[in-house]
Amino acid sequence: MFFLIPTRICETNGRDSIPAANACLIAANVVVYFLFGSGIGLAVGPRTGFTSILTYAFAHASPAHLLGNLWILWLFGNPVNRRLGNLWYLFAYLGTSLALGLFARLFAAGPLLGASGAIFAVLIIFCMLMPSAIVQVGYVALLPITLLIGLIRPPSHWLNWFIRWDTFAARAWIGLFFVPLLQIWGLFTGGWNWTNTAHLFGLVCGLAVVLMLPDRITLGRRVAY
């Protein structure tokens, strides 16, 4: 088993500012969860109300589901929001949510809920517009993955042959290859499922948003890392 979690983005410009659009989206997700709990009534599917094509994106199945999504949204959404501005950021996030919601209502066999589709759009926008950004990533590895890591970097304690944790730094452009491949791998190893499909759909929507952005955003402003 191998678990990865990004922990920090090494920004030097604007990291003290909290952009309004991303803060409002995070707050909306939290409020909806406390009002509706698991949010199954807000999920989108073939027999749900038409408004569910947006409400599903603010509903989560559990506290872990909510916290996981919002941590990634906080980490990557803030720099993307600062780069795009509030209007373009909301367009990217809500536009992806609506497109995926409509797709799921037409084709999903069961209910779908959660913000991860839109979050994957934000993630790929980050990787495309800020490829040189340094992302600190934490990991936990269990046997037998620890054996492979040990061959490359021998552990300092015998216990680390069975369980190992550490952090490493990676450039954001690596995500352009790693993130889609991880989702495709999930489809091949776990069978076709809506989770990985929704994530891939979000990546495609994020790419589409980048292609629509004006030059003043994609070329005119540079963020140092």
Side-chain angles (χ1 to χ4, degrees):
M1 300 290 289
F2 191 59
F3 304 95
L4 292 171
I5 180 69
T7 59
R8 187 168 66 94
I9 296 172
C10 302
E11 291 185 81
T12 58
N13 288 350
R15 63 182 176 184
D16 294 329
S17 63
I18 301 175
N22 199 47
C24 289
L25 290 172
I26 290 174
N29 277 277
V30 173
V31 169
V32 168
Y33 184 79
F34 279 103
L35 288 178
F36 296 95
S38 65
I40 193 66
L42 304 178
V44 63
R47 291 175 292 278
T48 59
F50 192 74
T51 57
S52 67
I53 64 171
L54 182 59
T55 59
Y56 83 96
F58 293 90
H60 291 83
S62 67
H65 188 203
L66 175 70
L67 290 174
N69 274 348
L70 294 191
W71 172 247
I72 301 299
L73 185 59
W74 173 266
L75 198 65
F76 294 99
N78 283 337
V80 172
N81 192 172
R82 285 191 287 266
R83 181 70 177 265
L84 269 59
N86 290 324
L87 291 180
W88 272 107
Y89 185 75
L90 288 173
F91 171 77
Y93 189 96
L94 297 178
T96 298
S97 299
L98 285 169
L100 176 57
L102 182 59
F103 184 78
R105 190 173 190 274
L106 293 174
F107 300 108
L112 176 72
L113 75 165
S116 58
I119 291 172
F120 269 74
V122 170
L123 180 58
I124 206 67
I125 292 171
F126 173 84
C127 294
M128 293 182 70
L129 295 186
M130 291 164 260
S132 63
I134 299 174
V135 182
Q136 292 288 336
V137 182
Y139 73 85
V140 176
L142 303 177
L143 195 71
I145 301 298
T146 49
L147 299 179
L148 296 176
I149 298 174
L151 293 175
I152 301 170
R153 187 179 175 186
S156 57
H157 192 279
W158 65 268
L159 181 62
N160 296 140
W161 286 108
F162 301 93
I163 181 172
R164 192 160 180 173
W165 59 92
D166 204 346
T167 61
F168 63 90
R171 293 287 182 179
W173 64 264
I174 296 175
L176 295 173
F177 305 95
F178 179 76
V179 174
L181 285 176
L182 189 63
Q183 302 310 310
I184 295 171
W185 176 258
L187 290 176
F188 277 100
T189 58
W192 188 89
N193 61 84
W194 268 99
T195 298
N196 293 116
T197 302
H199 295 170
L200 288 169
F201 192 99
L203 295 177
V204 172
C205 288
L207 171 62
V209 169
V210 171
L211 294 176
M212 288 187 283
L213 290 173
D215 290 347
R216 64 179 177 82
I217 294 176
T218 57
L219 301 175
R221 284 197 292 162
R222 298 295 183 186
V223 180
Y225 293 91

